[in-house]
Amino acid sequence: EFRRVLFRSVDGYNSYFLNDYERLAEVARHEPPAAQHKAFTRIGAHTTLPDMEVANALNVTELVTCGPIEGPGLTMLVERDDLRVYRNAHARGRVAVRCDETREDPERLSQTCAAGEQIEILAADQPTGRLRFRVALPAAHTLLLSEPYYPERRAWIDGVESPVRRADIALSAIDVAAGTHLVEVRFVPTDRKIT
């Protein structure tokens, strides 16, 4: 039944937004980059289908539209009057393996691939913002997260703190060695004085 379908939003609220996230939204809306961002424009407020590579990177698993759409991996789940809900089978998940290991440009979307990895999400969508997962990799890879990049976002691999870097314009990435590892990602606020 339609009432039971839950939707995640990637849109910000008024002036509370990340500048990089607004740049990612511009890409999703097929717009050229603006010189300055004063407020976050909703990705879904436009009549054109957003760039599905961005939706996939953000792990958007369902899309709500006011009319029919078509695209690879989209299957209609619900149709009621003019409202339609589609499932996106190409959403890359909370954690994905970066395929193009040589590209270090955080301003472009990364290609993902199946590298023989196994990823098991152990904790996600908690009020604390904690993401915890077990990953088994046959070789060292960069893991792409559908989590916004903040300097305060920290990662621990098998209990050892590891750097988190910006990738895919506004999202997070972690380099992980081959083998089976327990990874935890948390937002750890720092005390900063504004001068």
Side-chain angles (χ1 to χ4, degrees):
E1 185 176 67
F2 177 70
R3 289 188 297 254
R4 296 183 185 160
V5 179
L6 300 175
F7 308 100
R8 290 181 58 203
S9 174
V10 297
D11 296 330
Y13 173 73
N14 196 11
S15 60
Y16 300 104
F17 68 93
L18 298 172
N19 191 52
D20 290 340
Y21 232 50
E22 173 57 21
R23 290 190 4 251
L24 185 60
E26 287 173 332
V27 172
R29 294 187 310 260
H30 310 282
E31 294 176 0
Q36 182 179 19
H37 300 119
K38 296 180 182 177
F40 191 94
T41 307
R42 296 178 64 86
I43 291 173
H46 297 268
T47 57
T48 58
L49 184 66
D51 184 319
M52 288 306 294
E53 288 301 316
V54 175
N56 295 342
L58 290 167
N59 192 35
V60 175
T61 56
E62 287 91 23
L63 285 90
V64 180
T65 69
C66 295
I69 59 172
E70 292 182 10
L74 295 180
T75 306
M76 189 184 321
L77 297 175
V78 175
E79 180 177 8
R80 188 157 300 159
D81 299 322
D82 287 337
L83 190 66
R84 290 166 177 82
V85 179
Y86 292 87
R87 162 98 5 117
N88 177 17
H90 292 172
R92 74 180 186 199
R94 297 300 289 268
V95 181
V97 173
R98 175 183 251 176
C99 191
D100 51 349
E101 292 292 332
T102 58
R103 185 168 64 200
E104 294 298 324
D105 183 0
E107 298 300 318
R108 302 194 54 175
L109 292 175
S110 301
Q111 297 298 313
T112 59
C113 63
E117 77 281 1
Q118 294 179 337
I119 300 171
E120 177 187 8
I121 304 295
L122 303 172
D125 300 324
Q126 298 180 334
T128 60
R130 189 174 103 172
L131 173 64
R132 194 166 173 246
F133 57 94
R134 182 175 291 113
V135 62
L137 298 170
H141 279 287
T142 297
L143 300 180
L144 298 166
L145 310 177
S146 63
E147 302 288 325
Y149 172 78
Y150 298 98
E152 292 87 0
R153 191 170 300 281
R154 306 279 179 80
W156 287 264
I157 301 172
D158 300 324
V160 176
E161 190 166 3
S162 301
V164 177
R165 59 187 160 85
R166 187 169 63 91
D168 290 10
I169 304 171
L171 304 179
S172 300
I174 305 168
D175 295 321
V176 179
T180 300
H181 304 282
L182 183 63
V183 182
E184 184 169 329
V185 180
R186 288 182 282 173
F187 181 78
V188 181
T190 56
D191 183 22
R192 294 185 186 178
K193 291 184 179 181
I194 300 174
T195 57

